[in-house]
Amino acid sequence: MTDPARQPRRLEIRQQNETLILQAAEKVFAEAGFGGATMQLIADLAGLPKANLHYYFATKEDLYRRVVQNIFEIWLNAAQSMDDAPGPVEGIGAYIDAKMDISRRHPNGSKVWASEVMHGAPVIQDYLETTLRDWTTDRAALIQRWIDAGQMRPVNPEHLLYMLWATTQHYADFGHQIETLNGGKPLSDAQWREAKDQVKSMILRGIGALP
Amino acid sequence: MTDPARQPRRLEIRQQNETLILQAAEKVFAEAGFGGATMQLIADLAGLPKANLHYYFATKEDLYRRVVQNIFEIWLNAAQSMDDAPGPVEGIGAYIDAKMDISRRHPNGSKVWASEVMHGAPVIQDYLETTLRDWTTDRAALIQRWIDAGQMRPVNPEHLLYMLWATTQHYADFGHQIETLNGGKPLSDAQWREAKDQVKSMILRGIGALP
DNA sequence: TCGTTTCCTGACCGTATGGTCAGACAAGAG
DNA sequence: CTCTTGTCTGACCATACGGTCAGGAAACGA
């Protein structure tokens, strides 16, 4: 007969349930915050008994940490779109594209991250001080090289990065506000395309990479 | 003798305690979120017994609503810097100045607002649909007039507003991340000035209001 | 001074929450 | 089949939370 799952049954169950829980947790943490989220709510959304959650994740904080790490990794991967680019138009353009896509596809992850940072990064402070700091230093150097090569105006690379993060993540974190101002409807495909174009156009011209 | 308080004693006490509680509440809500904040924590920070808080504010949600309304009004007032400006350089420049100053002086209020919107605006949805929507429509029209007058490039006014909000508020909402990337130290006066200049420069050039 | 209103607070209550645990059950190994 | 290991869960517990309340203290008006 068919053999849809090549893995051993146990591993399959484990992975499936962990994913189920993580997805539910991301949504609940995004909508209620860490303090407002309850294990019962996450359990109900995942369709599992609460005790089962504690079998896979010892504490609420463990579960939360995993959710935060997930979105952070997604962002780090997207950042590679910036490298290997011949100049700011392609590099920063691609980065904006990638981050806007993530804002659309993972709005909850973005919100959880924002919430975590706003509360002083109690559980991912070490990531900020190591991975993120290194990443930022490297990209700032990359931008500086573009500046030195005359491919864009001399701007402060760090503040440019802040602007990139702020603008792209705003479409996820403040999606509800944008939706309300959009007549209560989520942005359509065309509107998302326009948002991307507008952001890219304004920023790339703002740094003198486009005429 | 001296008469430091001209008001009747009762009114004075009331105002003083309400302010004390609101300040403490803003900080605790910003640092812990609505769900993570406790009346006991707010009471301790305000130096009052918990029961006293419930004498002035019936419920936790009432207190929270007042905190959110406060920052919203501060922002609305700042927005007037945009009107009566002859063009985008002065208008948007002044708006950025004002919003950056608020980000520096009221970071907690900004965080509470961000948190509220991220969670779907459960208590200020009506503000979004009335006051904020009207405000946005008016300013979008103002920007459109500048575009029609050839004072800036034709951009989508709404997305420009989003970028202004995102970029300026980022310095408050993600202040902890910025501080960490700044070597663990808060931005100095000079750094805040540079941040303002960079934001203004990039955005005003991005919309073609500056060469 | 006396009565009234406002302010204040320790003690208390019902509820909801994160987490535990004993034991049932299923999967794999031999 | 048997034993071991991993998976599952209802019932339970201690704690912490938002909110209440009776009654005392202070301010005020007459």
Side-chain angles (χ1 to χ4, degrees), chain A residues 19-65:
Chain A
T19 307
L20 211 59
I21 294 170
L22 283 170
Q23 284 176 345
E26 184 182 87
K27 187 166 189 213
V28 173
F29 282 133
E31 287 173 359
F34 179 81
T38 71
M39 294 298 270
Q40 189 62 63
L41 227 63
I42 297 171
D44 290 348
L45 190 59
L48 296 171
K50 193 186 69 166
N52 208 349
L53 264 65
H54 282 101
Y55 174 71
Y56 286 104
F57 301 90
T59 68
K60 184 184 177 185
E61 198 176 311
D62 283 344
L63 177 53
Y64 173 75
R65 181 178 284 112

Side-chain angles (χ1 to χ4, degrees), chain B residues 6-205:
Chain B
R6 187 116 298 275
Q7 310 174 4
R9 190 96 180 77
R10 289 236 171 109
L11 185 61
E12 184 195 355
I13 288 178
R14 187 163 201 99
Q15 288 177 344
Q16 183 177 317
N17 279 343
E18 280 191 359
T19 307
L20 210 59
I21 294 169
L22 282 171
Q23 283 176 344
E26 184 182 86
K27 187 166 187 212
V28 173
F29 282 133
E31 286 173 359
F34 178 82
T38 71
M39 294 299 271
Q40 189 63 62
L41 228 64
I42 297 171
D44 291 348
L45 191 60
L48 296 171
K50 193 186 69 164
N52 208 350
L53 265 66
H54 282 101
Y55 174 73
Y56 286 104
F57 301 90
T59 67
K60 186 184 177 185
E61 198 176 311
D62 282 345
L63 177 53
Y64 174 75
R65 181 178 283 111
R66 283 284 300 273
V67 171
V68 176
Q69 285 173 347
N70 275 0
I71 185 69
F72 188 55
E73 275 170 29
I74 290 174
W75 276 342
L76 277 186
N77 288 340
Q80 295 180 345
S81 55
M82 207 166 153
D83 311 326
D84 316 324
V89 177
E90 300 84 357
I92 293 177
Y95 185 51
I96 292 173
D97 277 337
K99 292 248 20 231
M100 288 293 280
D101 287 342
I102 296 174
S103 279
R104 187 175 191 188
R105 233 162 297 191
H106 297 276
N108 287 332
S110 181
K111 285 176 194 172
V112 175
W113 173 269
S115 194
E116 163 71 7
V117 172
M118 282 200 309
H119 297 356
V123 318
I124 44 93
Q125 179 64 25
D126 51 332
Y127 275 77
L128 296 188
E129 290 175 359
T130 56
T131 318
L132 183 64
R133 197 190 297 219
D134 293 346
W135 185 92
T136 306
T137 306
D138 290 350
R139 307 309 138 138
L142 173 62
I143 293 170
Q144 190 58 51
R145 258 177 274 135
W146 287 335
I147 293 173
D148 294 341
Q151 294 176 288
M152 55 180 282
R153 274 201 315 115
V155 302
N156 182 313
E158 262 115 29
H159 290 291
L160 171 55
L161 288 174
Y162 299 159
M163 176 174 274
L164 290 169
W165 296 340
T167 309
T168 55
Q169 286 163 225
H170 184 83
Y171 285 88
D173 302 342
F174 289 76
H176 177 81
Q177 180 172 299
I178 292 175
E179 187 175 321
T180 298
L181 294 177
N182 191 45
K185 294 179 183 175
L187 296 189
S188 66
D189 287 358
Q191 284 176 315
W192 271 100
R193 239 177 290 127
E194 190 185 7
K196 242 199 233 182
D197 288 344
Q198 289 287 317
V199 169
K200 275 197 285 189
S201 162
M202 284 193 274
I203 290 186
L204 289 177
R205 284 172 210 268

Side-chain angles (χ1 to χ4, degrees), chain A residues 60-129:
Chain A
K60 184 184 177 185
E61 198 176 311
D62 283 344
L63 177 53
Y64 173 75
R65 181 178 284 112
R66 282 285 302 273
V67 170
V68 175
Q69 285 173 348
N70 275 0
I71 185 70
F72 188 56
E73 275 171 30
I74 290 175
W75 277 342
L76 277 187
N77 288 340
Q80 296 179 344
S81 54
M82 208 166 151
D83 311 327
D84 315 323
V89 177
E90 300 82 358
I92 294 177
Y95 186 51
I96 292 173
D97 277 335
K99 294 250 15 229
M100 289 291 281
D101 287 342
I102 296 174
S103 279
R104 187 174 191 190
R105 234 162 295 190
H106 297 278
N108 286 331
S110 181
K111 287 177 193 172
V112 175
W113 174 268
S115 194
E116 163 71 6
V117 172
M118 282 200 309
H119 298 355
V123 317
I124 45 94
Q125 179 63 26
D126 51 332
Y127 275 78
L128 296 188
E129 290 174 1

